[in-house]
Amino acid sequence: MSNYSGIIHQATSILCSHKGSLDFPQLHRKVFQRFNITEDYFWYIVKKCPRFVVVRNRERMDEWGTDCVIVAKTSLRLCRNYTKDGCRECQELHLCKYYVYGNCRYGKGRKQCKFSHDVSSEHNHPLLRECTLHELHDDELFLLLLQNDPSLLPEVCSHYNKGTGPHGACTFREGCTKMHMCMHFVQGDCMFGPKCKRQHMIDDHGRRMLEEKGLSGDVIHDLPFIYQNLYRLNGPVVPYATRERVPEPLSRPVNLKEEMEICLHFIRRNCRFQDQCIRVHFNLPYKWEVIDGNGWKDLRHTEDIERAFCDPRNTHSPGSRPVDFLAMTRESDPVRRLSTVSSVTKPAHYILTTEWLWYYKGDHENWIEFGKPDDKQRTTSLSSRELEEAYLANCSAEVTVMKGHRHYYLSFQDMYQRNPKHNTKRRVRRRPRFISIREVEDKISR
């Protein structure tokens, strides 16, 4: 039986212990040593989980991901205000930056650092647990932060990569506070290789500059790879819009025609394809399933699970064996929700499509739907329907949302809304509008 959350943790730990990224076949082989998981099912998890970013390794990549790199991703950041004005309530980690660098001088001596070295503090642990990073070792977490948070490292000097001479066109020369490194090496496309006149490693000047900033020797040694991953996380990503396979976790043939969409016509009892239909035949517009030893199995109390899921405040379903809506697991077993097609893709007269609603977290632990007024009667520039249309067009995109005079960036991949001016974030959730079994029957009868 597959341990879905365990697989994600194991893959993350492996990536972080291998400088933040690995080729897909290498990663699968290492995960396979602990979990008996087929390559195609692992590929499905990697593509679906926001923890991982799939990056093209060369110009061509086959369907199975054998020619791509998997990079570990997180939306967590260090709080910039923590060391300045004593920030207390935010969604960022409160940690000493030099502890993350591996070289806090106070942590090594008698004098205690006035900033936290406790990854599992009362403030940090809930954030790590929500992102399922609480089981990582400190050094694994720190590498993950370094390759995801650009503010922790100096930029690569663009002037160094122009002109001739040992410092390129950089007029600051050895006094430059940016990294003198070959940009094509960082981007993975340097045609000169070891013969390149630009630096592919950290030179003495760069080492001295980084040591002055507080970075340890181990971090400095890994920086060329960390810079490559920083670029990969912001570079071309394999789109998720390709046809998804939904494989089983066991070693049996995969039905590539299997779909996760419930047939609208079957619910209305008029599907002309009958058993040949490639969509799922079920009597409700939603269906909850869990993996057991023989594949996907229906969960009991579907209506109760659905009712809880539709409320953005809930992270778990009711009952003694609850479904974790954030990890999509039940007692570590993978769970999935099947549904009818999104309502924005069909004309208004189509019944029993799924209406998805988008929410952001308010100031008082409440959840506010996009396009609806908050407690100060302010509304966002985009409604749930507009966000749903944008999400279906590109589920890895980032869109701009206005509220009053402020603008925010909403990341579909991270499901966070970020204020670029104050560098604060709010959680975002996409949940369906609830429809009971009785309402379904009434709609069908009409």
Side-chain angles (χ1 to χ4, degrees):
M1 186 177 294
S2 175
N3 184 333
Y4 185 73
S5 58
I7 291 168
I8 293 173
H9 167 71
Q10 180 72 2
T12 305
S13 179
I14 290 169
L15 289 174
C16 291
S17 62
H18 287 78
K19 301 180 176 63
S21 63
L22 271 178
D23 290 343
F24 175 77
Q26 288 181 280
L27 181 60
H28 173 252
R29 283 196 296 271
K30 292 181 179 298
V31 171
F32 187 78
Q33 292 173 8
R34 180 173 175 183
F35 296 94
N36 184 19
I37 180 173
T38 60
E39 187 176 76
D40 55 322
Y41 186 66
F42 183 56
W43 176 240
Y44 171 72
I45 291 175
V46 165
K47 289 181 70 180
K48 281 291 186 183
C49 181
R51 173 68 50 74
F52 310 111
V53 171
V54 182
V55 182
R56 296 181 187 279
N57 198 16
R58 290 179 282 273
E59 291 185 1
R60 297 185 64 184
M61 186 189 74
D62 67 14
E63 183 185 10
W64 298 86
T66 56
D67 198 15
C68 64
V69 174
I70 311 302
V71 187
K73 180 181 175 66
T74 181
S75 60
L76 270 185
R77 302 288 185 265
L78 286 191
C79 175
R80 297 183 186 179
N81 297 322
Y82 170 59
T83 58
K84 297 177 182 178
D85 53 12
C87 174
R88 293 291 180 268
E89 298 295 333
C90 75
Q91 298 300 314
E92 311 289 359
L93 293 174
H94 286 181
L95 284 171
C96 168
K97 179 173 69 173
Y98 299 103
Y99 179 54
V100 174
Y101 286 163
N103 203 27
C104 179
R105 59 180 179 175
Y106 295 110
K108 298 177 181 179
R110 294 181 180 178
K111 188 176 180 180
Q112 188 176 2
C113 182
K114 63 179 180 179
F115 301 115
S116 177
H117 286 200
D118 185 4
V119 172
S120 300
S121 68
E122 186 177 349
H123 175 86
N124 293 328
H125 186 72
L127 299 176
L128 292 169
R129 188 171 187 84
E130 182 182 348
C131 296
T132 62
L133 298 174
H134 57 290
E135 295 182 0
L136 287 181
H137 297 303
D138 287 7
D139 54 347
E140 295 172 342
L141 174 65
F142 296 162
L143 184 138
L144 191 62
L145 292 172
L146 285 169
Q147 76 176 28
N148 280 270
D149 189 346
S151 67
L152 293 177
L153 297 174
E155 298 177 16
V156 174
C157 179
S158 59
H159 298 288
Y160 168 74
N161 282 272
K162 301 174 184 177
T164 58
H167 301 287
C170 178
T171 57
F172 293 102
R173 299 177 178 272
E174 292 187 355
C176 184
T177 57
K178 297 183 179 180
M179 284 306 303
H180 283 191
M181 183 177 291
C182 173
M183 183 62 77
H184 289 288
F185 167 77
V186 172
Q187 296 174 357
D189 60 0
C190 181
M191 65 176 66
F192 298 107
K195 298 181 179 180
C196 180
K197 63 180 181 179
R198 306 294 182 199
Q199 293 290 336
H200 286 198
M201 301 299 290
I202 308 297
D203 61 6
D204 291 339
H205 156 256
R207 179 175 292 274
R208 287 193 298 271
M209 185 263 290
L210 291 167
E211 286 175 348
E212 289 175 1
K213 289 182 177 292
L215 277 77
S216 69
D218 290 340
V219 172
I220 293 172
H221 180 268
D222 292 341
L223 271 188
F225 307 99
I226 293 174
Y227 275 110
Q228 285 186 329
N229 288 335
L230 272 168
Y231 174 77
R232 285 164 171 163
L233 289 169
N234 294 283
V237 177
V238 176
Y240 292 110
T242 55
R243 181 183 179 90
E244 293 288 352
R245 294 170 297 166
V246 189
E248 305 295 350
L250 306 178
S251 301
R252 67 178 182 81
V254 178
N255 179 9
L256 299 182
K257 291 185 178 181
E258 184 179 0
E259 295 284 345
M260 292 181 67
E261 183 182 304
I262 295 174
C263 177
L264 281 172
H265 300 287
F266 178 81
I267 297 178
R268 298 198 298 266
R269 303 180 180 90
N270 63 354
C271 178
R272 60 191 178 92
F273 295 105
Q274 297 301 321
D275 294 340
Q276 303 300 315
C277 183
I278 64 171
R279 291 175 176 80
V280 176
H281 281 186
F282 194 61
N283 62 331
L284 294 173
Y286 48 84
K287 188 173 191 275
W288 288 86
E289 298 178 335
V290 64
I291 281 283
D292 69 1
N294 298 312
W296 293 105
K297 175 184 176 183
D298 288 359
L299 278 170
R300 298 175 60 191
H301 310 298
T302 292
E303 186 178 33
D304 294 336
I305 298 173
E306 179 71 10
R307 181 184 287 106
F309 181 67
C310 291
D311 187 337
R313 296 172 298 178
N314 293 330
T315 58
H316 292 80
S317 67
S320 58
R321 302 178 67 195
V323 173
D324 185 333
F325 295 141
L326 301 182
M328 288 303 279
T329 56
R330 188 187 69 171
E331 297 179 342
S332 79
D333 296 328
V335 168
R336 69 179 184 181
R337 177 187 181 274
L338 283 63
S339 69
T340 53
V341 68
S342 177
S343 59
V344 302
T345 66
K346 296 291 183 181
H349 66 270
Y350 271 67
I351 65 167
L352 299 176
T353 55
T354 300
E355 182 184 2
W356 290 95
L357 305 177
W358 288 76
Y359 303 88
Y360 63 92
K361 195 168 187 179
D363 296 327
H364 308 290
E365 298 300 311
N366 57 329
W367 289 87
I368 304 166
E369 185 185 344
F370 281 86
K372 303 293 185 182
D374 62 10
D375 53 352
K376 296 181 180 178
Q377 299 304 305
R378 298 171 301 183
T379 58
T380 55
S381 59
L382 296 180
S383 64
S384 284
R385 182 177 181 85
E386 291 168 319
L387 285 174
E388 180 68 10
E389 290 172 345
Y391 176 78
L392 293 180
N394 183 358
C395 63
S396 300
E398 186 176 83
V399 298
T400 301
V401 180
M402 300 291 296
K403 188 170 78 168
H405 298 293
R406 296 180 180 178
H407 75 277
Y408 304 87
Y409 296 126
L410 194 163
S411 170
F412 291 145
Q413 195 162 22
D414 294 339
M415 294 304 279
Y416 270 101
Q417 175 181 285
R418 180 171 58 87
N419 183 326
K421 182 177 180 180
H422 301 288
N423 197 36
T424 56
K425 295 195 301 185
R426 295 178 184 269
R427 298 187 191 94
V428 171
R429 284 182 182 159
R430 175 183 182 249
R431 298 289 174 92
R433 186 185 295 280
F434 178 67
I435 179 169
S436 66
I437 294 175
R438 183 171 182 175
E439 288 176 282
V440 172
E441 293 171 347
D442 289 344
K443 284 179 178 286
I444 294 172
S445 64
R446 291 200 302 267

